[in-house]
Amino acid sequence: MSATTIISLMAEPSGTVLGAAPRTAENVHTYLSAGGYQELPHPDRLLEHIAEAGLGGRGGAGFPAAVKLRAVRDGGAPPVVVANGEEGEPGSAKDRWLLRARPHLVLDGLAHAAAITGATRGCVYLSDPAAGAAVRRALAEREQPLPIEIVETPHTYVAGEESAVVRRINGGPALPTAKPPRPFEQGVDDRPTLVSNVETLARIALIASRPHVRRRTAGSALVTLSGGDGDAVLAEVSYGVTLRNLATLQGTHDPAGALMGGLFGGLIGAVSLDLPLDPSALAAARTAAGCGAIRFLGAGECPVSVACEAVGHLATQSARQCGVCVAGTGSIRDTVHTLHLGTAAPDALAKLLRWSKGLPGRGACGLLDASAGTAGSLLRAFPDITRAHLDSPCPSCAAAPRGRGLSVPVPEIAPSPAAPAPALKGTP
């Protein structure tokens, strides 16, 4: 993968999650100067704005933010709010960038979520040391309206799953648990808990400070684009832009397809690249943007090779709590690997099809679903190419670099300028 990640600025960056200076870390002075930490609107009114805007969660599932906020608010005991910055998808860099570059925006959103739900405790959950240092500096610069602690976790694919988040904050390992109960019912300290992705919270802060453009705020997303011919790109784009246009933005011309949603949206072929970046349209096409990570396939790149890399990563990241997940991800990995090598048995495609239909929903988290979905999407989007791997080894697969990896680096961020004295701690 690319050794660098470029930030793509929008034409009018003011009022966006990227902000006016995305290559420089913010401090409390720059955040206040940009209109941050304004007096809180009435929580019920802000919740109405969030609902009217149609803001969906940005952690991957896209669940309506207002519905989740209401469920936690109405849960009974004083809730806990958690900013989830643990970025499990290897192709995504947005959450780590947000915490490193715009920690005050995330903390502002967390405070608004606490006001809406009535929470008396907040947590920022992460694994990235640079992100942790940036959040600690931000907390030292300005006192927050509720106690906020930073909870660190070892980085794994499943560590950001919401029940794993709760389990880790409660002192256990960052591993998913069986559901129900879900965190909004019984989470941290057995209290109703909002586990919200850091980009979702950032957009809540923007809606609070700029309610007149709330629909535009909710209708935009941070995307991490990689693969193909260009450098990785972190961009903020509006829903409706086509996937093909995003490939051009990233520098991949004539892409053969894409791996969508990190590892959760599966593979799509070139014909699907004219789809808009829109949750409903993508769902209708049996794919998803998920966390906004999209890896494009360059011209001539074999989708079997990409699928092999994806399901191999998922198999190594299994929490190994569910027997069906250990066996299922391992079997999918091994079978796709034989296709990659050109040594697959005649029934390999039939096995992959059966697993893609029968395994989703059987694990404690979505990792098994992602593996099965990747296998099914390979068969669906590239049937002829996949079938050809039964007959002879693929020259493209044989030439694919080993250990290329799926990860993209976080864009480089210049240090925050020194805030003027005296410190603005406690300033509204």
Side-chain angles (χ1 to χ4, degrees):
M1 298 299 292
S2 170
T4 60
T5 300
I6 298 167
I7 295 176
S8 177
L9 288 170
M10 296 179 67
E12 296 181 1
S14 180
T16 66
V17 170
L18 278 182
R23 298 182 183 92
T24 303
E26 69 184 4
N27 59 35
V28 69
H29 175 68
T30 55
Y31 186 61
L32 286 166
S33 298
Y37 289 132
Q38 294 185 8
E39 183 178 351
L40 296 176
H42 192 280
D44 291 343
R45 184 59 178 150
L46 176 55
L47 184 56
E48 290 175 7
H49 287 325
I50 294 168
E52 290 166 1
L55 179 65
R58 301 307 164 86
F63 193 77
V67 174
K68 201 170 183 180
L69 287 162
R70 286 195 187 99
V72 173
R73 180 196 64 184
D74 299 338
V80 177
V81 288
V82 179
N84 185 5
E86 168 48 20
E87 203 159 32
E89 292 288 0
S92 180
K94 71 179 181 73
D95 294 341
R96 285 168 293 160
W97 174 85
L98 257 174
L99 289 173
R100 292 183 188 187
R102 303 213 65 191
H104 284 288
L105 180 66
V106 174
L107 292 172
D108 199 2
L110 189 64
H112 287 297
I116 290 171
T117 60
T120 56
R121 178 186 175 191
C123 301
V124 180
Y125 178 83
L126 49 82
S127 65
D128 176 42
V135 175
R136 287 186 178 91
R137 284 194 297 270
L139 289 172
E141 287 180 333
R142 186 179 194 276
E143 185 176 352
Q144 297 295 316
L146 77 164
I148 294 176
E149 63 180 302
I150 297 173
V151 178
E152 299 189 44
T153 183
H155 172 72
T156 65
Y157 186 82
V158 300
E161 194 271 342
E162 63 175 8
S163 68
V165 173
V166 167
R167 193 173 180 183
R168 176 67 176 173
I169 294 173
N170 279 336
L175 297 174
T177 58
K179 295 170 279 290
R182 293 189 175 274
F184 77 87
E185 300 168 309
Q186 184 179 331
V188 176
D189 296 337
D190 293 331
R191 294 155 61 179
T193 300
L194 177 77
V195 180
S196 187
N197 174 261
V198 291
E199 184 189 347
T200 310
L201 294 170
R203 294 194 180 278
I204 287 174
L206 290 175
I207 289 172
S209 63
R210 298 171 177 85
H212 58 289
V213 292
R214 56 185 177 274
R215 292 187 183 277
R216 188 182 74 186
T217 299
S220 300
L222 289 178
V223 292
T224 311
L225 312 174
S226 63
D229 309 318
D231 289 320
V233 171
L234 175 64
E236 187 165 7
V237 299
S238 297
Y239 287 149
V241 62
T242 68
L243 301 178
R244 195 176 303 277
N245 284 342
L246 292 179
T248 301
L249 172 68
Q250 186 262 332
T252 297
H253 302 282
D254 194 26
L259 180 64
M260 296 291 294
L263 303 180
F264 201 82
L267 287 156
I268 59 171
V271 68
S272 297
L273 293 174
D274 291 315
L275 287 168
L277 185 73
D278 175 82
S280 298
L282 293 175
R286 301 176 68 180
T287 185
C291 63
I294 303 173
R295 183 200 186 284
F296 294 105
L297 280 62
E301 186 174 12
C302 184
V304 173
S305 178
V306 175
C308 184
E309 195 169 20
V311 298
H313 179 80
L314 289 167
T316 64
Q317 290 295 305
S318 170
R320 310 194 73 80
Q321 294 186 129
C322 309
V324 67
C325 179
V326 174
T329 57
S331 296
I332 293 170
R333 173 201 59 205
D334 294 344
T335 303
V336 175
H337 187 57
T338 63
L339 285 172
H340 175 72
L341 296 176
T343 60
D347 64 346
L349 302 189
K351 286 181 177 179
L352 290 175
L353 181 61
R354 183 172 71 251
W355 292 328
S356 72
K357 293 181 177 179
L359 290 178
R362 296 183 62 187
C365 68
L367 186 142
L368 179 58
D369 294 23
S371 183
T374 300
S377 67
L378 174 66
L379 302 176
R380 186 169 60 250
F382 300 98
D384 295 338
I385 292 175
T386 307
R387 196 175 301 113
H389 282 67
L390 294 173
D391 301 326
S392 60
C394 168
S396 178
C397 284
R402 283 192 170 277
R404 173 175 45 192
L406 297 162
S407 300
V408 298
V410 181
E412 292 184 6
I413 304 163
S416 166
L424 294 173
K425 188 173 182 179
T427 301

